[in-house]
Amino acid sequence: GPAGPAVRPAARRPDLSLLQQGHGVDPRRRPPGGQSLRLVSRPGTAPRRRGVASGVDLGVPKMVRGVITQGARGGDAGSGATTDNRAFVRKYKVAHSVDGKDWSFIMDSKTSLPKIFEGNTHYDAPELRRFEEIVAQYIRLYPERWSPAGIGMRVEILGCELPETSTPTDATTPTHGSGVETSTIPVSTTVASSAPSDGVCDFDHGLCGWMHDPNAPLLWSLHSHELNSYLYMDASLKTEQQPARLLSPVVGADTGPLCLLFSYQLWGEAQGSLRVLLRDAHHEETLLWALRGDQGPVWKEGRTILPRSPKDFQVVMEGFFEHGTRGHIWIDNIHISSSTPLEECTQPFAAFPPDMTGE
C-alpha cells in the first residue's frame, strides 16, 4: 500500500506516568520482545496536542492484521497514589515499521489520509479493529481522542508468523497455511487444546465443568428438562441485592484471545443485571460485559472477547437483582470458543448502558 507520512521516533510525547506490560504482567515473566502494551497518563497530564504512544516490539517481523484495545486505570504513579482513574482512548491511529526507523501509518483508502480507528467507550470492554495485512516488527498507536480520566490503553497485536520462505520485502501477499492466527505473545501452536472444551454447555448433562462460586450468597438454580435445560434465578425478597455467580473451568495463561458466547433472558421490573467478569488466581476481577434492566422475556445472545491473559483465569457469570419484585435471569448455551472469528465476537448493541459505566 502507499507509504504514510513519516513518523519520527523522537516525536514529542505526552507526559506519561506509567508504561508497562499489559494486563499486569510480571516483568520477570515478560516474553522476549514482549508484545502487550499498557499506556496510562494522569488526567492532569493529558497532552494538549494529540498523543504519541510508545510502540510494541514484536521481536521479529510478523504478519499483522489487527489490534485489540482496552482501557486502563490511570493515576499519579509517581506519587504512589492509588491508580483508580478508569481511562480509555476513544480514537487512535496505527503506525508500523519493519526496522524501527522508517514508519508508515495505516492509511484510509477513501481519504488517502492516516486511518482513524474507533477505540473504546468503556475502560474494560475489549474492542477489536482489523486492517489489511502488513509486515511489521514495531507497532505504535497514536491517541487522537480519550476519556476525561486521561489516556489509558492496553493493546494486544493480532497476527501470525511470516511464511518460512518469505522475507519482509517479499511477503506482501499472505500465504494460506502460514500459521494459525494468534495474538503475538509466543504460545504453542496448539492454542485450542489449552482452552476449555470448544463445545457448547447447554446444561442438559450438568454444568460441563462450570461450578457455583462457593463464596457467593446465592446459587444459580438448574431448570432441567429433556428439551431445554438452563440455569436461572428468580427475583424475590430472598434474592434481592444478593449475587449468584458461576465460575468457568480455568483458562490457561496466554490462551486466546477467545470468544465467549451465551444465551440469556433478563426480564422483569426487579432491575436485574447480568455481568461477565474475568477472575485471576488472586480473585482480582475485570468486568468485560454487563447489562441491566428489563430486556424482555425472550432469549438473546451475548458475546464478548476474552483477551489473552498472562495469568490463568476463570470466567464469572454473575446475576443480581436490585429489587425483590417480579423478574428472572436465565443463562444457557455458554460457549468459550477458539474458532469464532473475533469480528463476530462483539455485542450487537452497547453492552454497557450509561448507568453501568461506573461499575
Side-chain angles (χ1 to χ4, degrees):
V7 179
R8 284 188 249 172
R12 299 182 67 179
R13 301 177 180 178
D15 177 10
L16 299 177
S17 62
L18 179 64
L19 180 63
Q20 63 184 41
Q21 288 301 111
H23 298 289
V25 174
D26 182 339
R28 293 168 296 183
R29 295 183 58 214
R30 177 182 177 184
Q35 294 81 20
S36 288
L37 170 71
R38 182 181 175 97
L39 171 68
V40 178
S41 74
R42 300 189 298 275
T45 63
R48 296 183 182 274
R49 62 180 61 188
R50 292 178 178 87
V52 179
S54 295
V56 180
D57 179 359
L58 305 180
V60 296
K62 294 178 183 286
M63 302 296 286
V64 177
R65 55 185 62 146
V67 296
I68 297 174
T69 63
Q70 294 175 274
R73 293 178 187 246
D76 190 346
S79 70
T82 301
T83 57
D84 197 35
N85 296 310
R86 300 181 176 189
F88 51 89
V89 172
R90 295 181 181 275
K91 296 178 184 291
Y92 59 87
K93 298 175 183 175
V94 178
H96 57 94
S97 173
V98 172
D99 57 10
K101 297 177 182 178
D102 297 320
W103 292 83
S104 300
F105 280 118
I106 301 290
M107 302 299 287
D108 188 328
S109 59
K110 296 179 181 178
T111 64
S112 298
L113 296 172
K115 183 176 178 64
I116 297 178
F117 292 88
E118 294 294 325
N120 298 87
T121 56
H122 184 275
Y123 84 105
D124 257 334
E127 295 285 350
L128 167 70
R129 298 293 178 262
R130 288 194 184 272
F131 40 77
E132 288 295 317
E133 204 164 41
I134 57 171
V135 177
Q137 179 173 334
Y138 304 92
I139 301 291
R140 281 180 174 170
L141 273 67
Y142 289 72
E144 290 282 310
R145 299 284 186 273
W146 46 84
S147 62
I151 294 175
M153 183 175 263
R154 287 170 284 175
V155 179
E156 194 164 339
I157 311 299
L158 294 178
C160 60
E161 302 294 336
L162 291 173
E164 291 183 8
T165 57
S166 301
T167 67
T169 56
D170 64 15
T172 53
T173 303
T175 301
H176 294 290
S178 62
V180 176
E181 177 180 324
T182 67
S183 58
T184 55
I185 294 175
V187 293
S188 68
T189 55
T190 55
V191 173
S193 66
S194 59
S197 168
D198 213 25
V200 177
C201 184
D202 57 13
F203 302 111
D204 288 345
H205 304 285
L207 298 184
C208 325
W210 289 68
M211 61 178 288
H212 297 290
D213 183 348
N215 296 315
L218 296 179
L219 301 180
W220 289 92
S221 300
L222 176 63
H223 172 83
S224 185
H225 190 276
E226 60 182 7
L227 297 179
N228 183 23
S229 298
Y230 54 85
L231 295 184
Y232 71 94
M233 60 184 298
D234 291 326
S236 71
L237 292 178
K238 293 183 179 180
T239 61
E240 68 175 350
Q241 299 194 13
Q242 305 251 37
R245 309 187 111 210
L246 190 70
L247 304 178
S248 75
V250 173
V251 180
D254 295 333
T255 300
L258 302 170
C259 180
L260 175 72
L261 307 96
F262 55 96
S263 301
Y264 68 90
Q265 285 197 25
L266 183 57
W267 171 80
E269 61 195 37
Q271 281 296 307
S273 65
L274 180 62
R275 305 200 307 167
V276 177
L277 308 99
L278 296 188
R279 172 194 283 186
D280 67 18
H282 301 292
H283 287 203
E284 293 182 4
E285 296 185 344
T286 299
L287 178 65
L288 291 184
W289 186 99
L291 198 60
R292 180 160 67 188
D294 185 3
Q295 307 296 314
V298 294
W299 285 105
K300 297 185 177 183
E301 185 176 61
R303 302 183 178 199
T304 186
I305 295 172
L306 303 180
R308 177 188 298 272
S309 171
K311 303 176 183 178
D312 292 352
F313 68 86
Q314 291 175 282
V315 179
V316 181
M317 305 285 292
E318 179 191 86
F320 181 87
F321 290 110
E322 189 70 31
H323 307 296
T325 50
R326 291 189 313 149
H328 70 236
I329 304 173
W330 298 352
I331 54 175
D332 197 6
N333 300 325
I334 303 177
H335 185 194
I336 298 179
S337 170
S338 59
S339 57
T340 300
L342 295 180
E343 302 95 318
E344 299 175 12
C345 192
T346 54
Q347 183 68 17
F349 59 91
F352 290 93
D355 62 347
M356 295 202 71
T357 55
E359 288 290 312

